[in-house]
Amino acid sequence: MNNLNLRDASECDAPIIAELVYVTEDDPEHEWGEGSKEEILDRISYLVKVEGSRYYYKNIKVAELDGKPCGAIILLKSDDIPMLDITTSIKLFMSIKGVMRKIKFIRDIILASRLDECEDHEIYVANLATSEEVRGKGIGKSLMILAEKMAKEQGYKRCSLLAKDKSLINFYSKLDYKLEKEERYFSHNLYRMVKMV
């Protein structure tokens, strides 16, 4: 793909990153608190601009096809995740309106804390998303190859992720990710996959 460009994200990318990341979650209200889709997209856009959040733009690479952003990948160092989670949770809690919504969000944080996302000294692919109109064009694969290259350059030996369904397991398996374990996450299962890089 000659017209594909992979680049660092910027604050200006916040709206498109929010749209892309939103569709990666089956239960967005568990991840970002209850509210309308617009409210949740606003929260994610806000988090893209917050230094120290999981969604901070400096943790994100963007794919552009013919100059138009069409994909994003969020990469986190395993050692950084605990602090990123604290900052993200606090910022989300402060932006959620209503006492009942805040209480539900705290409950969801507690339930989600049981999830084993990654192990020590891994690069964790927190989110990978491409816009619907470009799926099947190899953009997700290109972003994953970039993630693995960056992991190697930074001295990491493993990349990990959580796949949410069989089609994603198949996609990552084709990239040589191995299924390590299955975990329950709210109403569905997630599948931890790992690749040595």
Side-chain angles (χ1 to χ4, degrees):
M1 249 181 303
N2 296 337
N3 299 323
L4 180 65
N5 179 39
L6 304 179
R7 62 169 174 80
D8 295 337
S10 71
E11 282 190 34
C12 301
D13 295 312
I16 187 68
I17 290 169
E19 288 278 353
L20 289 165
V21 170
Y22 179 86
V23 298
T24 65
E25 297 294 338
D26 287 336
D27 302 309
E29 66 280 354
H30 290 310
E31 194 71 27
W32 300 295
E34 284 191 352
S36 67
K37 180 179 179 181
E38 290 72 29
E39 287 175 296
I40 294 173
L41 288 172
D42 285 345
R43 288 181 201 142
I44 302 168
S45 291
Y46 165 68
L47 290 171
V48 171
K49 300 172 188 175
V50 172
E51 187 172 357
S53 89
R54 286 176 71 104
Y55 305 95
Y56 187 45
Y57 72 91
K58 290 192 177 179
N59 299 326
I60 302 173
K61 300 296 180 189
V62 170
E64 289 180 329
L65 188 60
D66 298 322
K68 180 183 175 191
C70 61
I73 190 168
I74 301 177
L75 303 171
L76 307 176
K77 297 175 184 176
S78 56
D79 297 344
D80 295 343
I81 290 176
M83 282 308 299
L84 295 172
D85 283 349
I86 289 169
T87 300
T88 303
S89 296
I90 290 169
K91 296 296 184 180
L92 280 169
F93 180 81
M94 299 303 288
S95 67
I96 294 169
K97 293 178 175 45
V99 173
M100 289 310 295
R101 284 182 175 181
K102 286 181 184 282
I103 290 169
K104 287 179 184 175
F105 181 69
I106 291 169
R107 180 205 64 198
D108 287 347
I109 290 172
I110 292 166
L111 291 172
S113 69
R114 299 179 190 150
L115 188 65
D116 185 20
E117 289 182 305
C118 63
E119 295 180 2
D120 291 342
H121 209 62
E122 289 180 348
I123 291 292
Y124 177 62
V125 179
N127 297 83
L128 170 67
T130 57
S131 53
E132 202 170 320
E133 62 270 11
V134 299
R135 291 198 187 132
K137 294 187 176 184
I139 293 168
K141 180 180 178 181
S142 296
L143 285 165
M144 290 300 294
I145 291 168
L146 175 65
E148 293 161 15
K149 180 181 175 209
M150 289 175 58
K152 258 187 191 174
E153 288 172 354
Q154 294 175 28
Y156 290 86
K157 298 199 184 325
R158 293 162 48 114
C159 284
S160 65
L161 56 90
L162 292 173
K164 66 180 182 178
D165 59 39
K166 299 290 184 207
S167 67
L168 289 174
I169 291 171
N170 290 336
F171 170 76
Y172 292 119
S173 293
K174 288 176 186 172
L175 298 175
D176 297 324
Y177 281 78
K178 305 294 182 219
L179 182 59
E180 211 172 64
K181 67 179 172 178
E182 181 177 341
E183 293 189 73
R184 192 79 181 150
Y185 182 68
F186 296 102
S187 62
H188 58 281
N189 292 333
L190 294 173
Y191 305 89
R192 177 174 152 76
M193 301 184 76
V194 176
K195 179 178 179 178
M196 300 299 290
V197 294

